């Protein structure tokens, strides 16, 4: 269903981003589904930002600083480098053809980094001497600087993400796991936000997370209020935003339920529940395990799939969930 909605967003005529929330009990395969969707989209020459460990980004940001480009927001430069590198490594050729020309203003030092020595003579004096300069650069050029320079990594991440969400030439998908962790209380503190350093910075005031929250379910936040500052962020009319809840993270059930309820109540959002395996699916998977000799099914004399009691045992101990089914063939 999720792949169908993503395809409809790319090929349909409604010019609306598909916004999909995947739910389900722990171990049914939400994370595996997101990984497969990201790989499939990239194989189709779509651009994908895949964030499989949102909880890690939310808790281990190395350091946080006030954004020098957007007052009131905060940057996570080291993590921005990670996401910049992912886009560059996976989509360098596609991004090389994308020129950011929408009245972009870049700091003087960043302009100097972007202009290679061989092209310095081609750059105008105004371009190199003015505090800011308006010009056009490919996303690839920007990202190359963004993976090696912490000072500008967050700015470049924001500019490239904004452009990808505006352009319509190449489908752009944002795929995020552990999404409900973003609706828990923030984990970063800074005296510029709270002088006493008692209140954490809300996730929607961090530039790394703003594109994710803005394209997804922007009416649900950790304080229960709408994110009015983020309404200007556009969405790619030929792309999708796909996220999944996590049941293995220490997220209050109330936050997860609030997210699911908000998506259910929004006509523009699609909720896809990943079900447990059916009995026939369990039997097919066990057959594959037996053919390849996984775990205790490696014994050539074993004939698990022809023993109803054995199949019933694996169904019972796994709860018809993929993760537990794999565990069941390694121990009795």
């Amino acid at each position: 269903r999720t792949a169908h909605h993503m395809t409809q967003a790319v090929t349909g005529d409604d010019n609306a981003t598909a916004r999909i929330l995947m739910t389900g009990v722990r171990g049914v395969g939400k994370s595996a589904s997101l990984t497969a969707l990201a790989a499939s989209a990239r194989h189709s020459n779509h651009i994908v930002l895949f964030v499989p460990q949102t909880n890690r980004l939310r808790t281990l940001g190395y350091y946080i600083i006030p954004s020098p480009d957007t007052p009131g927001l905060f940057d996570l430069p080291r993590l921005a480098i990670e996401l910049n590198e992912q886009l560059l490594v996976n989509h360098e050729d596609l991004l090389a053809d994308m020129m950011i020309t929408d009245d972009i203003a870049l700091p003087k030092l960043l302009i100097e980094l972007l202009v290679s020595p061989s092209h310095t003579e081609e750059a105008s004096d105004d371009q190199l001497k003015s505090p800011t300069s308006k010009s056009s650069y490919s996303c690839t050029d920007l990202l190359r600087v963004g993976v090696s320079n912490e000072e500008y990594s967050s700015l470049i991440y924001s500019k490239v993400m904004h452009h990808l969400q505006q352009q319509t030439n190449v489908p752009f998908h944002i795929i995020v796991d552990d999404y409900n962790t973003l609706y828990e209380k923030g984990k970063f503190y800074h005296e510029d936000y709270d002088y006493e350093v008692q209140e954490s910075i809300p996730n929607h005031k961090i530039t790394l997370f703003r594109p994710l929250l803005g394209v997804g379910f922007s009416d649900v936040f950790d304080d229960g209020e709408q994110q009015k500052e983020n309404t200007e962020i556009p969405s790619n009319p030929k792309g999708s935003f796909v996220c999944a809840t996590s049941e293995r993270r220490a997220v209050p059930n109330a936050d997860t339920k609030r997210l699911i309820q908000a998506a259910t109540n929004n006509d523009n959002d699609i909720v896809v529940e990943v079900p447990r395996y059916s009995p026939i699916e369990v039997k097919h998977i066990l057959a594959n395990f037996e053919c390849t000799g996984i775990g205790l099914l490696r014994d050539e004399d074993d004939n698990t799939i022809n023993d109803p009691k054995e199949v019933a045992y694996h169904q019972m101990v796994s709860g018809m969930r993929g993760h537990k089914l794999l565990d069941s063939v390694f121990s009795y």
Side-chain angles (χ1 to χ4, degrees):
R1 284 185 59 197
T2 302
H4 169 74
H5 290 303
M6 291 174 68
T7 303
Q8 286 293 103
V10 173
T11 61
D13 298 325
D14 55 356
N15 290 326
T17 299
R19 306 194 309 188
I20 305 164
L21 172 65
M22 299 175 66
T23 65
V25 299
R26 181 177 180 179
V28 294
K30 299 186 295 295
S31 297
S33 297
L34 291 181
T35 302
L37 289 168
S40 177
R42 284 172 176 161
H43 184 71
S44 300
N45 286 325
H46 297 185
I47 297 175
V48 179
L49 178 69
F50 181 34
V51 187
Q53 298 177 324
T54 303
N55 189 60
R56 179 182 68 84
L57 303 185
R58 191 180 65 92
T59 56
L60 301 175
Y62 301 99
Y63 67 93
I64 190 166
I65 59 174
S67 174
D69 309 293
T70 311
L73 300 184
F74 295 82
D75 292 340
L76 293 169
R78 293 283 294 276
L79 296 183
I81 286 178
E82 287 187 24
L83 298 186
N84 289 339
E85 184 176 18
Q86 180 194 136
L87 288 170
L88 183 63
V89 168
N90 289 286
H91 307 291
E92 182 174 0
D93 292 340
L94 285 173
L95 293 169
D97 296 328
M98 292 190 180
M99 305 300 295
I100 298 183
T101 57
D102 53 344
D103 202 31
I104 182 173
L106 299 178
K108 171 188 171 183
L109 292 178
L110 178 53
I111 295 293
E112 294 176 348
L113 290 172
L114 287 167
V115 179
S116 65
S118 61
H119 294 90
T120 301
E121 294 181 359
E122 300 176 13
S124 65
D125 291 338
D126 290 340
Q127 184 182 25
L128 292 176
K129 294 179 180 179
S130 60
T132 61
S133 178
K134 296 178 181 179
S135 186
S136 61
Y137 301 93
S138 74
C139 289
T140 295
D141 290 338
L142 286 168
L143 289 172
R144 283 173 179 161
V145 175
V147 300
S148 60
N149 189 297
E150 286 188 25
E151 182 177 0
Y152 297 116
S153 60
S154 294
L155 171 62
I156 289 172
Y157 165 78
S158 297
K159 294 293 186 184
V160 171
M161 286 293 293
H162 188 274
H163 180 75
L164 288 173
Q165 290 169 290
Q166 281 187 317
Q167 59 82 33
T168 58
N169 294 325
V170 181
F172 175 52
H173 307 280
I174 299 177
I175 300 179
V176 185
D177 203 359
D178 298 343
Y179 192 70
N180 51 331
T181 63
L182 290 173
Y183 294 97
E184 196 182 5
K185 187 176 181 180
K187 300 294 185 180
F188 297 106
Y189 296 80
H190 199 283
E191 63 179 357
D192 278 17
Y193 179 75
D194 174 26
Y195 186 74
E196 301 295 330
V197 197
Q198 298 296 316
E199 293 294 326
S200 62
I201 303 170
N203 292 319
H204 66 270
K205 290 188 177 295
I206 299 175
T207 55
L208 191 83
F209 301 132
R210 280 176 71 85
L212 310 184
L213 295 172
V215 178
F217 308 99
S218 57
D219 53 344
V220 183
F221 294 90
D222 49 25
D223 56 3
E225 297 179 358
Q226 284 194 332
Q227 181 186 356
K228 296 179 181 178
E229 310 100 301
N230 204 25
T231 55
E232 77 283 358
I233 293 180
S235 59
N236 188 319
K238 294 297 182 183
S240 66
F241 179 88
V242 184
C243 62
T245 59
S246 172
E247 306 301 326
R248 68 182 186 276
R249 306 299 183 188
V251 179
N253 287 334
D255 291 340
T256 301
K257 289 179 180 179
R258 183 157 50 89
L259 170 61
I260 295 173
Q261 189 61 48
T264 302
N265 294 339
N266 191 331
D267 293 336
N268 296 320
D269 295 337
I270 303 166
V271 178
V272 176
E273 182 175 1
V274 181
R276 299 171 188 260
Y277 290 141
S278 66
I280 190 64
E281 287 174 322
V282 170
K283 197 167 184 178
H284 277 295
I285 293 169
L286 289 175
N288 287 327
F289 286 167
E290 197 164 66
C291 288
T292 53
I294 299 295
L296 299 174
L297 304 186
R298 183 180 294 274
D299 188 351
E300 63 180 13
D301 295 327
D302 199 1
N303 199 13
T304 299
I305 60 173
N306 285 321
D307 186 338
K309 291 183 179 180
E310 283 286 327
V311 174
Y313 167 80
H314 288 289
Q315 291 178 356
M316 178 187 68
V317 298
S318 69
M320 317 285 271
R321 293 174 289 173
H323 180 73
K324 294 294 185 180
L325 184 59
L326 181 61
D327 288 345
S328 74
V329 302
F330 282 97
S331 63
Y332 285 112

